[in-house]
Amino acid sequence: MIRTRFAPSPNGALHLGHAYAAMVAHDLARARGGQFLLRIEDIDGTRSRADMARQAVEDLRWLGLTWDAPVVMQSARLASYGAAADQIKAMGLLYPCQCTRAQIAAAATAQGPDGLIYPGTCRGRNVSPEGAAWRLDVTRAMAMTGPLTWDDELAGIQTARPDLLGDVVLLRKEAPASYHLAATLDDAEDGITLVTRGFDLFAASHVHRLLQALLDLPVPRWHHHALLLENDGRKLAKRRGSPALADLRLAGVDGRALADDLRAGRLPAGLSLGTGVTSPSTCA
Ligand code: GLU
């Protein structure tokens, strides 16, 4: 049976782009007689807000979406992220990194799909693990797993290219696990068979496929959907004036009708659907 999920990070209010993403995941499950789950990705201690998590649940109910299991809170699963990271560490594939963002920006020479690629400064060096971020040695990891593929039901079979993102962080200083590690483990734990997310996170799936191979996790299919874009081709963002769903809800807008409009492609003026490939991800 197919099982999908919507997994917002409660760093701010949900907007129409989130409504669209949630609806895609929900409707795919419903159309195929499967299940839909809601997971709140609340492990970033510096950005996650409990009030935003509660608000997101209200917003999704208002849109008429229903889920088939209690809401999963990532913050309840920290121990399993640590255990998986230890497993990858024991394979000799994680190394500590003390670089600041500014240092990386100064040293990086290559641009990846998610911004500058970490240039590997701390790899192979004797860096103190105290307060460090832990990065995945992607080249070694790929040598260990051999070539991998994954299947996006819209884009087709992909050759996994986690190297496109470089040595990503799996354990952060300010959060117990990175998005990549937590999302991959949770999708396995929750039995997600079809991972739906916006096309802006397409590249992240290369890394997730590698983590699945390293941790011997089941491999789902993926469905990277189009994004709601503004006139300038950038994806919607609350900071650029996209209305919060909560504001629409409190103003008396009919959430179910809004969801039906999005389903039917009746988009608010000035918005369109596209891949938004010029907008780097904020999740990785
Ligand atoms: N928490 C991520 C976000 O809000 C989820 C992305 C995913 O579905 O993997 O963008």
Side-chain angles (χ1 to χ4, degrees):
M1 186 189 50
I2 173 188
R3 187 181 273 182
T4 67
R5 87 297 187 278
F6 176 58
S9 305
N11 304 335
L14 301 190
H15 53 59
L16 286 170
H18 296 107
Y20 183 78
M23 197 200 71
V24 168
H26 175 270
D27 289 6
L28 280 170
R30 296 286 172 255
R32 300 180 196 179
Q35 291 187 337
F36 169 71
L37 306 188
L38 175 59
R39 179 170 79 229
I40 304 288
E41 301 206 322
D42 63 340
I43 51 169
D44 185 336
T46 59
R47 296 171 70 206
S48 280
R49 290 173 46 183
D51 58 330
M52 288 296 136
R54 283 192 296 274
Q55 181 172 290
V57 170
E58 287 301 304
D59 291 345
L60 296 168
R61 286 204 181 108
W62 167 75
L63 290 168
L65 305 189
T66 54
W67 40 95
D68 300 302
V71 178
V72 172
M73 303 300 289
Q74 261 187 348
S75 52
R77 291 184 166 169
L78 302 186
S80 71
Y81 306 143
D86 284 346
Q87 205 178 322
I88 303 176
K89 246 184 225 174
M91 297 161 116
L93 299 177
L94 288 190
Y95 62 88
C97 169
Q98 296 280 5
C99 293
T100 61
R101 274 177 203 272
Q103 286 168 331
I104 295 172
T109 51
Q111 190 76 29
D114 277 338
L116 286 173
I117 296 184
Y118 175 70
T121 317
C122 295
R123 193 193 313 122
R125 287 218 189 139
N126 200 5
V127 171
S128 162
E130 197 62 42
W134 288 81
R135 291 184 177 274
L136 179 65
D137 186 332
V138 170
T139 309
R140 279 184 81 169
M142 287 174 75
M144 201 174 269
T145 62
L148 299 167
T149 57
W150 54 279
D151 184 10
D152 180 284
E153 60 177 24
L154 300 178
I157 303 284
Q158 308 292 312
T159 298
R161 291 289 314 276
D163 51 307
L164 293 176
L165 281 85
D167 289 356
V168 291
V169 170
L170 290 196
L171 291 179
R172 289 191 178 283
K173 286 173 236 180
E174 69 282 5
S178 72
Y179 157 66
H180 295 303
L181 184 61
T184 302
L185 288 166
D186 282 341
D187 285 336
E189 170 79 21
D190 295 332
I192 302 303
T193 61
L194 182 66
V195 173
T196 75
R197 58 167 77 103
F199 195 79
D200 55 330
L201 288 172
F202 193 89
S205 299
H206 290 298
V207 177
H208 301 186
R209 179 67 189 90
L210 176 63
L211 294 176
Q212 285 154 2
L214 293 174
L215 295 167
D216 206 12
L217 301 174
V219 182
R221 288 184 92 201
W222 279 263
H223 178 114
H224 290 92
H225 57 76
L227 305 168
L228 280 184
L229 304 176
E230 307 210 26
N231 278 336
D232 59 5
R234 292 197 293 177
K235 66 176 182 172
L236 296 198
K238 177 109 194 323
R239 65 179 180 283
R240 286 200 303 273
S242 259
L245 297 183
D247 290 342
L248 299 175
R249 173 162 57 83
L250 295 171
V253 172
D254 181 337
R256 285 166 192 262
L258 173 70
D260 280 341
D261 282 345
L262 293 178
R263 278 186 184 101
R266 288 188 296 270
L267 306 179
L271 300 187
S272 59
L273 277 169
T275 54
V277 284
T278 52
S279 310
S281 143
T282 51
C283 227

